[in-house]
Amino acid sequence: MSGHHEHGRSGEHDEKAAAEMFEPAAWDERYAGQERFWSGDPNPQLVATAGDLTPGTALDVGCGEGGDVVWLAGQGWRVTGADFSAEGLARAAGHAEQAGVADRVDWWRVDARTFDAGDRSYDLVTTHYLHAPDGGMVDVTRRLAAAVAPGGSLLVVGHAPSHEFTQLSESHRKAMFLAAELLPGLPDDFEPVVVEQRTRTLKRDGGPVEAEDSVLLARRAER
C-alpha cells in the first residue's frame, strides 16, 4: 500500500485513488515511473528475526523491488519473492542480479488476497507493509500460515495506526492493524512468539519521525 497519495478534487476522488493503490496496475505504474521506489535496504524487523534463524527456504509475499529477498539470499536462504506487480518483480530480479544472488532466488506473481500455496511450503514466510483493505490482513495471515513448513516461522509486519498517517484516506487507515488483531488468522498449530508494536524511525523531509510497526512472529509446531 502507499505511504501517501495525491489529493484529488474531492473526498470521493481521494477514496477512488486510494482504492486503486490496492490493485496491481497502480503499482506497475509506480515502479515503471521511478528509478528506485524503495530504499533497497532490508526491513529492520526481518533482520532482527531472521538473524536468529537457520537459513532454509523462505517466501516473501509483497516483495516489491526485492530488498528483503536480496538480503535473505545473501544470508544463505533459498528465497521466493512473490508480488502482484510484474513491474516490481522485474525490478526485483534486476536487483538480485546486481547483488550476485540470482541463483538463490525464484519469483512468483501472485496476489496475497487470493494466495494459495498449494503443496509448496517454506521454513520462513514473511510479509512487510502489505496492507489488504477492510481488515483483510487476518485472511492474508491465514493464507500465509498455510505456506509455513512444520517447525517454520511466520513473520507479518505492517503499519500500526498512528497520528503519522492522519493525512491518508479512510480506506488506507482501515488497512492498518495492530499485531494482536491478526491472531485469529493463526491456525491452531501455531504458537505466537512476538505480538507487539515496535517503534521505528522514518526519514521524512522535515526530519526523522517515529512510527510504529505491528509485528507478529509465530512458529508452527513440528509434526
Side-chain angles (χ1 to χ4, degrees), residues 1 16 64 66 73 79 115 144 155 169 173 176-177 198 209 218:
M1 83 162 245
K16 182 172 183 293
V79 195
F115 168 75
L144 296 180
L155 176 65
S169 70
R173 288 195 300 272
M176 295 174 182
F177 55 86
R198 293 177 177 172
V209 168

Side-chain angles (χ1 to χ4, degrees), residues 92 108-109 120 141 150 167 213 222:
W108 186 10
R109 189 177 180 191
R120 305 189 198 197
T141 298
Q167 81 278 18
D213 284 339
E222 299 273 3

Side-chain angles (χ1 to χ4, degrees), residues 25 28 38 57 69 97 106 111 133 143 148 156 180 183 192 201 209 219-220:
D28 283 340
W38 307 114
T57 56
V69 172
E97 288 277 359
D106 297 304
D111 189 327
R143 291 174 182 276
V148 178
V156 181
L183 290 175
T201 301
V209 168
R219 295 222 168 87
R220 188 167 212 164

